[in-house]
Amino acid sequence: MKALIKTVADETAKAFAAAGYDESFGKVTVSNRPDLCEYQCNGAMAAKKTYGKNPREIAEDVAGALADSTIISSAEVAGPGFLNLKVSPAFLADYAQKMADSDRLAVDPAENPMTIILDYGGPNVAKPLHVGHLRSAIIGESLKRIGRFAGHKVTGDVHLGDWGLQMGLIIAELHERKPDLVYYDESYTGEYPEEAPFTISELEEIYPAASAKSKTDEDFRNEALEATKQLQQGRRGYRAIWQHIINVSVSDLKKNYAKLSVDFDLWKSESDAQPYIPDMIEKMKEDGVAVYDQGALIVDVKEEGDSKEIPPCILLKSDGASLYATTDLATIVERMKLFNPDKMLYVVDKRQEMHFTQVFRTARKAGLVRPETQFQFLGFGTMNGKDGKPFKTRSGGVMRLEELIGDINAEMLKKIVENKGYRDSEAEETAKIVGLSAIKYGDLSNQATKDYVFDVDRFTSFEGNTGPYILYTIVRIKSILERFRKDGGNAEDCRIAPAVSESEKTLMLHTAGFASAVETAWNETAPHKLCSYIYELSNDLNHFYHETRILAETDEEQKKSWIALLNLVKRVLEQSIDLLGFSAPERM
Ligand code: ARG
């Protein structure tokens, strides 16, 4: 179904044409003076030059042509020639009812669906998930859901970091601790044990210890470097340890992502891309795209018009080792081969922007993708503590994700119990559901590229622009619908009627803007715009609720139309939070 604003714009354009003006002047925006009108058209002012006429006169002509419109019920000329427009309540009710009748809430799927690989999450094997990875998971998951709802084929890839020095560090450290492990015996040719020689907690302790040691102990660092190299060259025993590290890590990661309602279609990793490197490099050398410079193999990616220096992309160091960029390029080769996507979208810390500029330019220059394949880097800002510095634990360490979730859930539980005045068996489950909304909405309601302050008190509040407030609104509707049902009503039989109050009309208008909100959030890769939309919608709902005695209404038909509207608002809110990656409890 055509978006409401588009319907209003088309109607206005038609009126321009009917009054003898070009219909391109019929553009319409949502009014910034909701007290005066709902939509606004400034086309008469723009038409002044073309027709050499007073804009007020033009506007009057258009208003005249709109007199019989069934879509626009009032068109008033204001100021130098603005057209203030109001939508017909009957048309609006009909529009809202059509949304209610559609299981997609009247959002049409994209006409040209794209195949998109979404690269998000990006955790590193063996290192515990920390808050830095939280943002990528939250934002990426939401974009995946919004993209799919918009009709695209979006495949989420976790792109596991499993090919770096951290692997060599663990292998070297484990060697010192357990030198007799069969993995280190080069003469061993038998099968390796199925069970890993460590648990996840051991692994999480081994890595930081090894990493710290490598900073002060040069011999150890060299051992780790050597182990990394031998692993990459395929030493059997090291490969076996590496596989254990991956298995143990991945099952732990999956558990943690599940707690966040984050789910990947692909568990591909940096190591999966390695087989593509040799041919890719050979071809780039042959084509003259890659050249040797002081022993290193590089690609010059400077472009005319660059406002800052873009250093060359290094493919191989002088010792022949490949780098992060090489892996990302080989991953692009792999993705083109396996999925031939129209677009690759990366949700990564904005400090990696230069890396991706180099990678994207190299990929184009080397023809690794089709000319029309799109690359997009969505770089997100840092999650800070109240002190404005990157979020830390109370003792100053790097905050682990599990701890952060635990803290939020505890705070949420406290508030829920306070709110109800008692603690019941549901409280803990509810706290988890609401806690997740606090974390995710707290993040998503900020523009992704900006840094933001993770403020537990604010994020868990039931008031203001927060996840719990949105859920509270949904739960409020659920409880009204439940009471209506208990009184013998059936919400599914109710139909939306023209609004009878300002607050009802505002609510209906806003509800009808859902398709536009989804479209904007997707086109601008901006989940925060969907957050603003549901925040305003929730405010409108609560305003309407406070002004209207819904269940006490004695006119049955009137009551039913309000129930139908509430039911629709509930569905719009529930669909929206699902697109943001969380859900609502039954009660709270
Ligand atoms: N593992 C990387 C990190 O922790 C993020 C990976 C992002 N994706 C990519 N294709 N490079 O910084």
Side-chain angles (χ1 to χ4, degrees):
M1 192 160 69
K2 216 193 281 176
L4 183 62
I5 183 163
K6 181 91 176 58
T7 312
V8 173
D10 287 353
E11 185 75 353
T12 312
K14 235 171 62 194
F16 266 88
Y21 305 102
D22 197 88
E23 60 174 29
S24 63
F25 293 112
K27 291 195 182 66
V28 154
T29 54
V30 174
S31 157
N32 49 16
R33 285 290 304 274
D35 50 324
L36 295 179
C37 60
E38 295 153 359
Y39 293 94
Q40 188 176 317
C41 171
N42 301 344
M45 261 94 79
K48 174 182 167 188
K49 241 171 107 195
T50 314
Y51 300 99
K53 234 174 159 180
N54 180 344
R56 276 195 70 97
E57 250 175 73
I58 302 177
E60 293 291 356
D61 291 346
V62 177
L66 282 169
D68 296 329
S69 169
T70 53
I71 297 173
I72 294 168
S73 58
S74 126
E76 276 173 10
V77 181
F82 299 118
L83 265 171
N84 288 346
L85 307 172
K86 282 190 182 167
V87 176
S88 139
F91 176 80
L92 181 58
D94 190 50
Y95 188 96
Q97 183 59 46
K98 286 205 180 97
M99 277 178 83
D101 291 337
S102 141
D103 46 349
R104 287 180 51 87
L105 294 162
V107 177
D108 295 330
E111 272 170 34
N112 302 307
M114 292 171 93
T115 299
I116 299 166
I117 299 287
L118 181 56
D119 184 312
Y120 72 111
N124 300 308
V125 159
K127 302 188 195 174
L129 268 187
H130 62 77
V131 297
H133 292 111
L134 182 65
R135 295 212 71 191
S136 179
I138 292 178
I139 300 167
E141 179 69 22
S142 172
L143 287 174
K144 182 184 78 182
R145 294 175 182 215
I146 297 173
R148 283 193 185 152
F149 189 67
H152 301 284
K153 185 167 181 289
V154 188
T155 302
D157 180 9
V158 72
H159 196 72
L160 211 54
D162 66 347
W163 206 239
L165 177 62
Q166 86 259 33
M167 295 303 186
L169 284 168
I170 294 169
I171 294 172
E173 177 68 19
L174 196 63
H175 189 206
E176 284 198 359
R177 296 185 185 196
K178 303 181 182 173
D180 298 332
L181 283 177
V182 59
Y183 306 92
Y184 295 100
D185 178 355
E186 279 194 82
S187 61
Y188 182 77
T189 54
E191 296 261 324
Y192 289 110
E194 257 173 46
E195 197 171 328
F198 40 70
T199 62
I200 183 70
S201 348
E202 281 167 333
L203 197 55
E204 286 179 353
E205 182 265 319
I206 293 175
Y207 171 73
S211 167
K213 196 194 288 179
S214 73
K215 290 190 179 110
T216 53
D217 181 339
E218 199 165 325
D219 288 345
F220 179 74
R221 187 178 164 78
N222 287 333
E223 264 174 57
L225 283 167
E226 182 56 27
T228 311
K229 198 163 147 197
Q230 292 194 19
L231 165 71
Q232 298 189 347
Q233 285 167 352
R235 178 165 161 176
R236 258 186 93 239
Y238 287 6
R239 280 285 186 154
I241 299 180
W242 171 78
Q243 195 58 56
H244 283 309
I245 302 176
I246 293 184
N247 294 348
V248 169
S249 260
V250 165
S251 58
D252 186 58
L253 283 170
K254 286 191 173 162
K255 214 177 65 201
N256 275 298
Y257 281 127
K259 279 191 202 147
L260 286 171
S261 299
V262 169
D263 161 68
F264 299 93
D265 307 294
L266 298 175
W267 279 80
K268 299 288 267 176
S269 63
E270 294 178 350
S271 64
D272 286 315
Q274 302 310 312
Y276 296 89
I277 293 180
D279 286 354
M280 176 182 83
I281 298 254
E282 235 5 83
K283 172 116 192 339
M284 284 200 219
K285 283 203 278 197
E286 248 168 53
D287 295 347
V289 171
V291 294
Y292 281 101
D293 186 77
Q294 298 168 35
L297 188 66
I298 65 162
V299 179
D300 177 15
V301 290
K302 283 199 294 293
E303 277 173 16
E304 225 167 288
D306 283 347
S307 56
K308 63 176 177 202
E309 168 91 22
I310 312 285
C313 181
I314 306 177
L315 299 177
L316 299 177
K317 291 197 289 188
S318 47
D319 65 1
S322 59
L323 292 136
Y324 186 43
T326 329
T327 297
D328 262 323
L329 287 161
T331 303
I332 290 170
V333 173
E334 184 188 25
R335 287 176 179 162
M336 289 309 288
K337 181 168 170 241
L338 302 182
F339 307 101
N340 191 24
D342 303 304
K343 178 171 176 163
M344 288 176 238
L345 169 58
Y346 297 76
V347 184
V348 186
D349 192 310
K350 72 178 172 196
R351 284 168 291 192
Q352 296 192 25
E353 177 158 22
M354 179 61 85
H355 163 77
F356 282 99
T357 303
Q358 293 170 314
V359 166
F360 296 165
R361 287 185 179 189
T362 302
R364 284 218 185 281
K365 207 171 167 184
L368 304 184
V369 292
R370 289 178 275 130
E372 65 278 13
T373 310
Q374 300 172 19
F375 284 119
Q376 187 184 351
F377 171 68
L378 179 63
F380 53 80
T382 308
M383 173 173 144
N384 289 323
K386 273 187 179 167
D387 58 359
K389 300 204 187 94
F391 199 84
K392 292 265 158 67
T393 56
R394 273 176 228 117
S395 57
V398 174
M399 178 66 121
R400 295 194 28 193
L401 203 58
E402 273 176 300
E403 238 176 291
L404 176 99
I405 297 175
D407 282 2
I408 286 271
N409 289 352
E411 185 61 31
M412 229 46 258
L413 183 62
K414 213 174 81 196
K415 288 206 170 138
I416 286 170
V417 172
E418 248 169 45
N419 206 36
K420 279 192 171 177
Y422 60 91
R423 181 177 174 152
D424 56 16
S425 55
E426 276 176 45
E428 219 154 297
E429 248 341 278
T430 309
K432 278 189 201 156
I433 299 175
V434 185
L436 188 60
S437 82
I439 297 177
K440 287 196 162 185
Y441 192 92
D443 188 307
L444 292 169
S445 54
N446 300 284
Q447 192 178 332
T449 47
K450 297 214 169 114
D451 296 351
Y452 77 99
V453 173
F454 193 89
D455 181 339
V456 178
D457 292 330
R458 192 166 77 74
F459 288 4
T460 56
S461 169
F462 288 149
E463 277 153 44
N465 190 7
T466 69
Y469 170 67
I470 307 288
L471 298 195
Y472 195 78
T473 306
I474 295 175
V475 166
R476 165 170 276 166
I477 303 177
K478 283 187 180 181
S479 113
I480 302 171
L481 294 178
E482 179 58 19
R483 274 184 285 151
F484 179 73
R485 196 188 62 81
K486 280 203 177 127
D487 290 344
N490 180 356
E492 302 309 318
D493 290 344
C494 300
R495 296 185 67 78
I496 298 170
V500 293
S501 67
E502 271 309 308
S503 66
E504 187 187 3
K505 188 164 184 206
T506 305
L507 176 62
M508 219 186 276
L509 262 176
H510 227 124
T511 308
F514 176 61
S516 300
V518 172
E519 189 182 272
T520 307
W522 174 245
N523 288 345
E524 300 178 16
T525 40
H528 74 280
K529 299 217 166 159
L530 189 57
C531 291
S532 314
Y533 170 75
I534 56 172
Y535 177 51
E536 283 170 29
L537 186 61
S538 299
N539 285 341
D540 292 341
L541 182 283
N542 287 312
H543 185 196
F544 168 69
Y545 169 82
H546 286 300
E547 277 200 344
T548 319
R549 300 188 42 146
I550 301 168
L551 292 171
E553 174 61 46
T554 48
D555 178 340
E556 277 306 310
E557 288 313 304
Q558 178 65 75
K559 187 199 304 190
K560 278 176 155 181
S561 78
W562 286 336
I563 291 293
L565 176 59
L566 288 193
N567 203 18
L568 175 62
V569 175
K570 173 175 102 80
R571 281 180 58 208
V572 167
L573 288 174
E574 283 178 333
Q575 179 66 61
S576 299
I577 62 171
D578 183 61
L579 296 179
L580 295 171
F582 54 92
S583 59
E586 283 313 307
R587 281 169 289 272
M588 65 191 265

